[in-house]
Amino acid sequence: MSQTLTLIRPDDWHLHLRDGAMLCAVLPETTRHFARAIIMPNLVPPVVTGADAQAYRSRIIAAMPEGADFTPLMTLYLTEDTDAQDVAAAHASGLITAVKLYPAGATTNSASGVADFDRVRGVLERMAEIGLPLCLHGEVTDPDIDIFDREAAFIDRVLDPLRRATPGLKTVLEHITTKDGVDYARSQDDLAATITTHHLIINRNHILVGGIKPHYYCLPVAKRESHRLALRAAATSGDSRFFLGTDSAPHTDMLKENACGCAGCFTASNTMAILAHVFEEENALERLEGFTSRHGPAFYGLPTNKATLTLSKGAAYTSPDKIPTDDGPVTVFDPGFELQWKVT
Ligand code: NCD
Ligand code: ZN
């Protein structure tokens, strides 16, 4: 007998949709399962002003597949020149849901990010006043800090001082990859942490053992196994400070399978099937809805979705390995095992 699981329709609290041909190709992979997503602003050039966000939102709406019921939740890319008044106006009009802070140079298209945190203090204070959440890429960029230590160093050197200096600022520590991130989130108020699908599956061995696997390379980079286990425990714990942000980040195969391969795993297509597998393995299927559909809206002060999504468990299958785009194929994240859960 097949087993089914019906959830409140999920949301994705960290998603890269890109623009142009890539946007058109990847958007249906998200709208098929998700009702809303926080849309990352790291386009080239980035989405910096309210006007940029308005224009990008229109391009997303225009690319939406027929009949899709999906709301893009827009964000602004914080720079040292960001105008607090523009941010407040974009928030007041309902255009934006969060502001994204990338430490300059931390990841893909982050060159315009923040180097001197004192220069964004005014904007952060204004955000705390108006209740606008800050989404953080939590890695330091200091070349002296080992890439595997960059999240933990960020928490100590940047995040904790920033939060003490800006009380009441709602903060999302995004795509956490370490036990340090889990522990910090558990110790704080007004702070949540998103967890990706792929960081529940892979550790750093998956990237490096037996040949370099570019499709498992993303930022923050996957850490050692003890960290993956801490993430799995947090995601499946039912603690409302942890929720799904896939960080699904499409790059064409040509750009991934390259001497200088881009960072990002593309998980939009099979995230829900993989998560059902993980939560079942952890005997926590009844907590999947909290992680994908309840904790995120509660943190952001938004209603949960009215619609539902049903998965059923049946014969083992492997997810499609690529999706075509006019720029070239994009490889879908391979969890390394067969799936049984499928969105019906
Ligand atoms: C993201 C991208 O490709 O835009 N890449 C990634 O590895 N996650 C950027 C980001 O979120 O760090
Ligand atoms: Zn991202």
Side-chain angles (χ1 to χ4, degrees):
M1 214 187 66
S2 85
Q3 201 184 337
T4 66
L5 181 66
T6 297
L7 308 172
I8 294 171
R9 202 165 172 83
D11 301 305
D12 184 348
W13 300 95
H14 181 133
L15 176 67
H16 297 271
L17 286 177
R18 316 298 190 204
D19 216 338
M22 186 62 90
L23 166 64
C24 293
V26 300
L27 183 57
E29 301 300 301
T30 285
T31 62
R32 203 171 284 139
H33 300 163
F34 293 89
R36 296 172 290 198
I38 288 273
I39 310 302
M40 285 296 120
N42 63 333
L43 304 182
V44 187
V47 179
V48 172
T49 64
D52 295 340
Q54 182 74 55
Y56 186 31
R57 187 174 185 284
S58 304
R59 298 198 296 280
I60 296 169
I61 302 292
M64 211 112 97
E66 188 82 19
D69 182 11
F70 175 76
T71 306
L73 304 174
M74 306 309 293
T75 61
L76 298 183
Y77 184 118
L78 186 61
T79 74
E80 292 179 4
D81 300 321
T82 292
D83 172 11
Q85 192 47 42
D86 182 57
V87 171
H91 174 246
S93 71
L95 172 64
I96 61 162
T97 304
V99 169
K100 173 72 187 245
L101 190 162
Y102 291 96
T107 187
T108 312
N109 307 334
S110 63
S112 334
V114 175
D116 179 355
F117 284 76
D118 286 336
R119 296 199 52 184
V120 295
R121 194 156 311 282
V123 179
L124 298 182
E125 279 165 9
R126 188 69 177 274
M127 288 168 60
E129 273 166 40
I130 62 179
L132 177 61
L134 177 71
C135 292
L136 273 174
H137 184 107
E139 288 189 290
V140 294
T141 54
D142 182 340
D144 292 339
I145 305 289
D146 188 278
I147 189 167
F148 292 103
D149 297 334
R150 288 181 174 195
E151 183 171 294
F154 182 87
I155 292 168
D156 288 349
R157 294 181 182 192
V158 181
L159 177 58
D160 200 55
L162 182 147
R163 287 182 49 74
R164 285 174 199 277
T166 327
L169 178 65
K170 281 175 89 169
T171 308
V172 184
L173 182 56
E174 299 193 281
H175 42 51
I176 55 168
T177 56
T178 58
K179 179 168 185 304
D180 311 68
V182 169
D183 291 345
Y184 189 76
R186 287 206 171 111
S187 75
Q188 298 290 301
D189 295 324
D190 298 328
L191 181 134
T194 58
I195 301 179
T196 74
T197 307
H198 50 281
H199 288 116
L200 298 174
I201 307 292
I202 59 167
N203 63 33
R204 61 196 195 180
N205 280 15
H206 291 86
I207 310 170
L208 296 170
V209 173
I212 192 158
K213 313 291 190 317
H215 296 291
Y216 289 151
Y217 173 62
C218 69
L219 289 170
V221 70
K223 309 297 191 298
R224 64 169 64 242
E225 178 65 359
S226 53
H227 292 297
R228 185 186 75 96
L229 295 177
L231 297 173
R232 267 173 97 106
T236 58
S237 66
D239 185 331
S240 63
R241 285 173 285 208
F242 301 103
F243 48 85
L244 175 65
T246 64
D247 195 14
S248 182
H251 294 279
T252 60
D253 284 355
M254 199 182 68
L255 294 174
K256 292 285 294 173
E257 298 167 11
N258 190 292
C260 183
C262 292
C265 296
F266 180 72
T267 54
S269 318
N270 54 7
T271 274
M272 291 308 298
I274 297 173
L275 289 176
H277 184 105
V278 167
F279 276 66
E280 185 175 44
E281 266 179 359
E282 301 290 332
N283 283 317
L285 264 184
E286 76 286 357
R287 295 187 182 149
L288 180 58
E289 183 179 75
F291 184 67
T292 62
S293 316
R294 285 188 184 277
H295 303 166
F299 181 82
Y300 276 93
L302 295 170
T304 52
N305 297 311
K306 297 263 183 305
T308 58
L309 185 81
T310 298
L311 293 107
S312 68
K313 190 176 174 187
Y317 71 99
T318 44
S319 18
D321 64 337
K322 292 182 197 297
I323 63 158
T325 85
D326 286 352
D327 296 335
V330 169
T331 292
V332 178
F333 177 74
D334 173 7
F337 48 78
E338 288 186 321
L339 294 167
Q340 283 188 276
W341 288 98
K342 208 176 219 170
V343 176
T344 58

